[in-house]
């Protein structure tokens, strides 16, 4: 009772805190500038903030240089840390009219204007998605579900990513007059926390549930012991990378790369790789660095691995409702695809609708995950009455408790045979009988999975970063193409789970966690 009461108070406190934060953030965002404004011309040029040179997004033949008069008019656009938004707006309106800016460059980073209606709508969708996620966390952590502590902590760690993204976004807009997506060192540092979240979830799902720990005679693993494992070391390394970027690297410019841009190829090296002498499009100044691409790809792939492990819980526990949680995770994977596709087109305004779609799929996915967690909790014997305060006299309370105890005892009796079957199946699949030297998730297999994830993420990141300039369509953004890039992988993802559902004897479903080193879709 005390545990439930404490969890209830913590949840209500978190909801009140989130309400306060979202209210303050929403009111603050109304007074901050928009992410940026693009002015288009046929040359598709890009004018970096604080520079008198521009990178070109079209053909090399269309390169032009600005006149000294134009450069002088753009000088007030350089935004320093100590300059207020109001003084910048007054300086800009006084010295460089909007019509003159349209003539001087095809893209100007950092236009000091309030957020438009679509941006406010997107921000409110993201803010609203926090509340169903809190409901999901509360329901998943019910003791009836038997989810181990590391898995619960992994899902809860997402709140660290959320609350870190809020000040990061405010810093990007107030100090650089840009969106978070355009400030690479802030963007990568925040996104790294999402990667840590997914790594912790995968690491937790590879460990036995509380019921399985009792069945195989294994002590409950602690958070410290989990961090010592390969996936835990990877998580700690990413957190340290974000800390080092903020404090050791000490970036000052908006487009300083995340983690010093480790792995980025020099321009001469990348040009020497052009064996076929193809036309190469120069990257815009807001292009993601290689480490930032790596944390994005890592988040997408780790989420797929977590979906497979959660699907396997339906076989390990005998609770089919776990499959529903895997299906509920599909929209959140689509949300990640929206973000990566938006960055693929260099955050162009033509595909800005992807941000709204990302927020909508995040909200919808969180709602579906809360519903799935509710169905799992009910299937495990949890009662929604525990959320409601007790009313009535002492006799009525005693009657309700007797009814609940009787119902719970029948539920336990009904599940006893399933538990015995699941125990035998689990131990047989694991090859462990709980005896001496038996382990659940071998460190060697987890290390193989970590190495495989690193290699796949590295290859995809290099291919994205240095293969994109050889293509033309990323530099000519089209919303239809962008939606296809999001929709096709989503359909493949859904087809994967539909085929597994049709084939009830698929080895991939009953695969034990310690041998689960496969990466879905890859």
């Amino acid at each position: 009772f005390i545990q439930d009461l404490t969890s209830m108070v913590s949840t209500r406190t978190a909801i009140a805190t989130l309400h306060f934060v979202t209210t303050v953030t929403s009111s603050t965002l109304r007074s901050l500038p928009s992410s940026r404004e693009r002015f288009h011309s046929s040359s598709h040029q890009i004018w970096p903030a604080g520079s008198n040179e521009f990178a070109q997004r079209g053909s090399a033949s269309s390169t032009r240089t600005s006149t000294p008069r134009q450069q002088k008019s753009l000088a007030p656009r350089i935004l320093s840390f100590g300059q207020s938004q109001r003084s910048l707006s007054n300086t800009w309106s006084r010295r460089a009219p909007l019509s003159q800016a349209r003539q001087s460059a095809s893209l100007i980073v950092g236009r000091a204007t309030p957020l438009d209606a679509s941006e406010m709508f997107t921000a409110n969708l993201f803010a609203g998605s926090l509340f169903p996620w809190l409901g999901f966390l509360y329901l998943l952590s019910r003791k009836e579900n038997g989810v181990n502590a590391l898995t619960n902590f992994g899902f809860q760690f997402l709140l660290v990513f959320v609350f870190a993204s809020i000040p990061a976004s405010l810093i990007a807009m107030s100090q650089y007059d840009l969106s978070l997506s355009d400030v690479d060192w802030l963007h990568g540092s925040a996104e790294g926390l999402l990667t840590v979240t997914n790594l912790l979830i995968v690491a937790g799902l590879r460990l036995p549930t509380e019921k399985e720990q009792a069945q195989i005679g294994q002590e409950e693993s602690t958070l410290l012991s989990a961090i010592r494992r390969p996936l835990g070391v990877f998580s700690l390394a990413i957190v340290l990378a974000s800390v080092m970027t903020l404090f050791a690297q000490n970036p000052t410019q908006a487009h300083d790369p995340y983690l010093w841009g480790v792995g980025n190829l020099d321009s001469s090296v990348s040009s020497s790789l052009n064996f076929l002498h193809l036309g190469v499009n120069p990257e815009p100044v807001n292009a993601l660095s290689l480490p930032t691409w790596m944390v994005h790809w890592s988040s997408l792939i780790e989420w797929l691995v977590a979906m497979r492990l959660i699907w396997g819980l339906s076989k390990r526990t005998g609770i089919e409702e776990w499959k529903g949680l895997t299906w509920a995770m599909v929209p959140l994977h689509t949300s990640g695809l929206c973000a990566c596709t938006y960055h693929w087109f260099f955050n162009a305004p033509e595909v800005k609708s992807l941000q709204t779609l990302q927020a909508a799929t995040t909200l919808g996915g969180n709602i579906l995950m809360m519903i799935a967690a509710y169905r799992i909790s009910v299937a495990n014997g949890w009662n929604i009455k525990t959320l409601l305060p007790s009313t009535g006299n002492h006799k009525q309370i005693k009657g309700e408790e007797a009814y609940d105890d009787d119902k719970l005892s029948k539920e336990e009796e009904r599940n006893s045979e399933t538990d015995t079957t699941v125990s035998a199946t689990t131990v047989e699949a694991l090859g462990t009988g709980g005896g001496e030297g038996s382990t659940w998730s071998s460190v060697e297999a987890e290390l193989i999975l970590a190495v495989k994830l690193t290699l796949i993420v590295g290859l995809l990141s290099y291919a994205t970063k240095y293969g994109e300039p050889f293509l033309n369509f990323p530099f000519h953004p089209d919303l239809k193409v962008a939606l296809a890039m999001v929709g096709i992988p989503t359909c493949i993802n859904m087809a994967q789970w539909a085929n597994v559902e049709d084939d009830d004897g698929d080895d991939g479903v009953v695969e034990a966690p310690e041998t689960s080193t496969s990466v879905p879709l890859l």
Side-chain angles (χ1 to χ4, degrees):
F1 170 76
I2 294 176
Q3 180 182 3
D4 289 343
L5 180 61
T6 304
S7 179
M8 188 71 173
V9 172
S10 300
T11 302
R12 290 182 175 178
T13 303
I15 291 176
T17 304
L18 277 176
H19 177 70
F20 172 77
V21 170
T22 52
T23 301
V24 173
T25 303
S26 179
S27 60
T28 305
L29 287 175
R30 294 180 185 274
S31 60
L32 288 176
S34 62
S35 58
R36 63 184 183 177
E37 181 77 6
R38 292 176 180 259
F39 302 105
H40 290 279
S41 67
S42 58
S43 60
H44 295 284
Q45 300 163 359
I46 290 185
W47 196 295
S51 174
N52 289 330
E53 300 176 355
F54 60 83
Q56 187 178 352
R57 251 178 55 187
S59 61
S61 61
S62 60
T63 303
R64 297 180 300 156
T65 57
S66 60
T67 64
R69 180 182 181 86
Q70 291 168 343
Q71 292 179 1
K72 184 177 180 180
S73 66
L74 287 174
R77 298 297 294 143
I78 304 175
L79 181 61
S80 62
F81 275 80
Q83 192 173 15
S84 66
Q85 297 296 321
R86 177 172 297 180
S87 62
L88 172 67
S89 178
N90 294 336
T91 303
W92 174 253
S93 60
R94 184 172 61 252
R95 300 185 185 179
L98 185 59
S99 59
Q100 185 177 355
R102 291 180 182 273
Q103 298 173 359
S104 56
S106 58
L107 181 144
I108 297 177
V109 179
R111 182 180 177 220
T113 56
L115 294 177
D116 57 32
S118 63
E119 289 172 327
M120 284 303 306
F121 178 69
T122 300
N124 289 331
L125 286 178
F126 276 123
S129 66
L130 294 177
F131 300 102
W133 185 259
L134 284 176
F136 162 74
L137 294 179
Y138 176 82
L139 293 168
L140 185 70
S141 61
R142 296 302 86 206
K143 60 181 181 296
E144 290 84 357
N145 295 330
V147 178
N148 61 55
L150 182 58
T151 303
N152 280 322
F153 178 76
F155 282 109
Q156 293 163 4
F157 194 83
L158 182 72
L159 296 177
V160 178
F161 161 72
V162 171
F163 286 114
S165 298
I166 293 175
S169 298
L170 296 178
I171 291 173
M173 287 188 287
S174 62
Q175 301 296 343
Y176 299 112
D177 206 4
L178 297 171
S179 69
L180 179 61
S181 301
D182 294 318
V183 183
D184 193 79
W185 63 274
L186 276 173
H187 186 197
S189 300
E191 189 70 23
L193 297 176
L194 180 59
T195 300
V196 172
T197 298
N198 295 344
L199 281 172
L200 292 174
I201 293 172
V202 171
L205 291 171
R206 289 176 57 84
L207 298 175
T209 63
E210 291 181 353
K211 292 181 181 179
E212 290 168 335
Q213 289 171 356
Q215 291 167 1
I216 64 178
Q218 179 176 323
E219 295 182 0
E220 183 178 356
S221 58
T222 62
L223 182 60
L224 182 60
S225 63
I227 290 178
R228 295 174 180 173
R229 302 176 68 89
L231 293 179
V233 172
F234 271 57
S235 302
L236 185 60
I238 296 174
V239 172
L240 291 177
S242 298
V243 173
M244 289 174 62
T245 300
L246 296 177
F247 297 102
Q249 181 180 350
N250 192 23
T252 57
Q253 301 300 320
H255 302 298
D256 285 347
Y258 166 60
L259 197 61
W260 294 280
V262 173
N264 282 347
L265 298 179
D266 186 76
S267 57
S268 59
V269 177
S270 59
S271 60
S272 65
L273 298 177
N274 188 9
F275 302 109
L276 300 178
H277 301 286
L278 301 175
V280 181
N281 298 287
E283 280 189 331
V285 292
N286 67 330
L288 268 60
S289 64
L290 183 73
T292 305
W293 268 122
M294 290 188 69
V295 294
H296 278 78
W297 275 113
S298 180
S299 298
L300 285 177
I301 296 174
E302 292 155 8
W303 194 250
L304 289 174
V305 176
M307 292 172 68
R308 174 171 289 277
L309 292 173
I310 287 178
W311 187 279
L313 281 176
S314 65
K315 290 293 182 180
R316 288 162 52 190
T317 63
I319 304 297
E320 290 294 313
E321 282 75 8
W322 282 107
K323 294 180 178 179
L325 183 57
T326 297
W327 281 105
M329 295 169 71
V330 171
L332 295 179
H333 187 262
T334 303
S335 175
L337 290 173
C338 290
C340 290
T341 305
Y342 183 61
H343 303 325
W344 170 266
F345 289 103
F346 307 109
N347 311 334
E350 292 88 347
V351 294
K352 193 172 70 171
S353 300
L354 289 176
Q355 289 185 307
T356 305
L357 180 60
Q358 178 189 0
T361 51
T362 300
L363 175 60
N366 289 357
I367 293 174
L368 291 177
M369 290 191 71
M370 182 179 66
I371 295 174
Y374 170 78
R375 295 179 68 245
I376 293 170
S377 301
V378 171
N380 282 305
W382 177 80
N383 196 323
I384 197 173
K385 290 183 179 179
T386 57
L387 286 173
L388 305 175
S390 301
T391 56
N393 55 32
H394 186 66
K395 292 183 179 180
Q396 182 180 356
I397 295 176
K398 279 190 173 182
E400 290 178 356
E401 289 178 350
Y403 171 77
D404 291 340
D405 290 342
D406 182 62
K407 184 177 180 180
L408 182 59
S409 62
K410 290 182 179 180
E411 186 71 23
E412 291 177 349
E413 183 179 355
R414 182 179 67 85
N415 291 333
S416 60
E417 296 182 1
T418 304
D419 290 341
T420 305
T421 305
V422 172
S423 176
T425 304
T426 300
V427 174
E428 182 180 358
L430 295 172
T432 60
E436 264 186 55
S438 64
T439 58
W440 176 271
S441 178
S442 66
V443 176
E444 293 79 7
E446 188 168 313
L447 181 60
I448 292 174
L449 176 61
V451 172
K452 185 182 294 187
L453 285 173
T454 303
L455 292 176
I456 293 173
V457 167
L459 289 174
L460 289 174
S461 300
Y462 271 103
T464 303
K465 173 73 173 175
Y466 297 104
E468 189 176 13
F470 292 97
L471 305 175
N472 288 325
F473 76 93
F475 300 87
H476 302 277
D478 187 342
L479 183 59
K480 294 180 181 179
V481 176
L483 292 176
M485 293 176 64
V486 173
I488 293 175
T490 298
C491 292
I492 295 175
N493 192 13
M494 296 174 65
Q496 175 187 216
W497 305 115
N499 292 335
V500 172
E501 193 170 22
D502 293 338
D503 186 6
D504 197 33
D506 193 317
D507 291 339
V509 178
V510 297
E511 184 179 25
E514 89 287 3
T515 61
S516 178
T517 61
S518 60
V519 180
L521 294 182
L522 294 173

